[in-house]
Amino acid sequence: MDVNLQFWSTEGKSFFQRFLHWADILDPTVLLNSNETIEKSRLLLQTSAQTLQEPLQDKKVKEAWKLSLSSVHPGTGEIIPLVFRPPAFLPLATPLIFASLLPHRGAKQALIWQFLFHAYTAGFTIANGNATAKAEETALPQKLPQKQLLMCTGAISYSACMGAFPYFVMTQHRLSGPMQTFFRKILPIPLLACLSVFNVMIVRGTEYENGIEVMDKNGKVIGVSQKAGLKAVQDTALSRAALFGTAVIIPESLLYFLNRTNFLLRNPHALTPLRLLMTVSALGALLPVSFSVFPQLGEIKRDDLEKEILSSTEETELFYNRGV
């Protein structure tokens, strides 16, 4: 079992524990560390057995854990590309989601921003998903990589088109009044949440199609389970939908109440900065919550797994890497 997963097995048993750790891990300044520094941190953790038993007692060890958890994939042990590391999510996803939901003059502009947003979230999802499927792809280089590429491209394109659909309707029919309010301010919120679920389910589809590794409490791989893969992807998709849906509805609700007080009528130029500030604040506050809702080291009952795995172990609970 990778040291990152060992950390979550001891330090991620409760939501509150996970939330505190993610709030620390998501510090964007971690991105300033070089790959060499990250590798040294991993070496420190791997060569010191005591750090696994008492991971946060020493300041140097604590920083090593922070670097490892924020920068290294627990399935492969490889360093995650800089832009797709969890600490990079807030500074990169926030302007994209903000721009994609701004009132646009035309559907083409909305489509571009929607495409960029869903392309980034798809890349983040792939980089932080379970690595079992990637190992299978290495064994069959002619089939699965092409299939996954087509699935990702299709998911991004479909999500972008559907995300821009309300603006297309407004442009084509020149809506006004309640209908314009519905298509501009109400429909995009549930649509974004649904498309976030769709994006994760398709992009990580190989995980429940081929299965992911399940382990016992000692880290021994028992087998590969499609049911565990489906549970991992569904949990991640649900948390992603809740993150984006809530992060958008909070600023919109606050702006609605400010409109009723005539504050924005007296200060019309404050609308865009206020919307941006509220979006950053909401997404920043909810991001560690979203990553903490489900354990990083997921659990699944033995009876819920395939028959082949049931005959391979007597353990009542097995574990898997859920991904982010």
Side-chain angles (χ1 to χ4, degrees), residues 84-209:
F84 295 132
R85 295 175 195 170
F89 190 81
L90 180 64
L92 293 180
T94 302
L96 292 176
I97 191 174
F98 174 76
S100 65
L101 293 175
L102 279 176
H104 298 289
R105 294 182 179 179
K108 185 182 293 186
Q109 187 180 14
L111 179 64
I112 292 172
W113 283 111
Q114 287 284 338
F115 182 86
L116 291 174
F117 169 71
H118 288 291
Y120 175 73
T121 54
F124 181 87
T125 300
I126 293 173
N128 292 276
N130 189 286
T132 306
K134 296 177 184 178
E136 295 291 333
E137 288 172 10
T138 304
L140 298 171
Q142 295 299 321
K143 184 179 178 182
L144 291 179
Q146 183 179 6
K147 180 180 179 180
Q148 187 178 28
L149 178 62
L150 290 174
M151 290 174 65
C152 292
T153 304
I156 294 168
S157 301
Y158 177 81
S159 299
C161 291
M162 290 303 298
F165 175 73
Y167 303 98
F168 173 79
V169 173
M170 287 190 295
T171 303
Q172 290 295 105
H173 300 280
R174 298 180 181 178
L175 300 177
S176 60
M179 289 300 293
Q180 184 186 48
T181 302
F182 173 76
F183 277 94
R184 175 174 286 181
K185 295 184 177 181
I186 298 177
L187 181 59
I189 297 174
L191 191 59
L192 175 65
C194 292
L195 290 175
S196 298
V197 172
F198 173 79
N199 197 313
V200 174
M201 294 299 295
I202 297 299
V203 168
R204 288 180 59 177
T206 52
E207 294 182 26
Y208 53 81
E209 182 178 336

Side-chain angles (χ1 to χ4, degrees), residues 9-147:
S9 69
T10 57
E11 293 290 323
K13 293 181 179 179
S14 70
F15 167 80
F16 187 65
Q17 271 186 315
R18 295 191 296 270
F19 174 79
L20 291 178
H21 288 312
W22 274 117
D24 187 41
I25 293 166
L26 291 171
D27 178 8
T29 60
V30 176
L31 299 171
L32 300 176
N33 289 278
S34 64
N35 287 359
E36 184 181 356
T37 304
I38 297 170
E39 289 170 356
K40 288 180 179 178
S41 298
R42 288 280 291 183
L43 185 61
L44 171 64
L45 299 175
Q46 290 168 347
T47 55
S48 178
Q50 186 179 5
T51 61
L52 299 177
Q53 299 170 0
E54 301 178 4
L56 302 178
Q57 299 301 315
D58 182 81
K59 184 177 180 181
K60 185 177 180 181
V61 173
K62 184 178 179 180
E63 286 300 315
W65 277 116
K66 185 175 179 179
L67 276 177
S68 178
L69 294 167
S70 64
S71 309
V72 179
H73 193 289
T76 63
E78 297 178 357
I79 297 176
I80 302 170
L82 182 68
V83 296
F84 295 132
R85 295 175 195 170
F89 190 81
L90 180 64
L92 293 180
T94 302
L96 292 176
I97 191 174
F98 174 76
S100 65
L101 293 175
L102 279 176
H104 298 289
R105 294 182 179 179
K108 185 182 293 186
Q109 187 180 14
L111 179 64
I112 292 172
W113 283 111
Q114 287 284 338
F115 182 86
L116 291 174
F117 169 71
H118 288 291
Y120 175 73
T121 54
F124 181 87
T125 300
I126 293 173
N128 292 276
N130 189 286
T132 306
K134 296 177 184 178
E136 295 291 333
E137 288 172 10
T138 304
L140 298 171
Q142 295 299 321
K143 184 179 178 182
L144 291 179
Q146 183 179 6
K147 180 180 179 180

Side-chain angles (χ1 to χ4, degrees), residues 294-306:
F294 300 102
Q296 187 68 30
L297 187 65
E299 297 182 19
I300 188 168
K301 300 291 184 182
R302 175 177 174 269
D303 294 338
D304 295 334
L305 295 170
E306 292 83 348

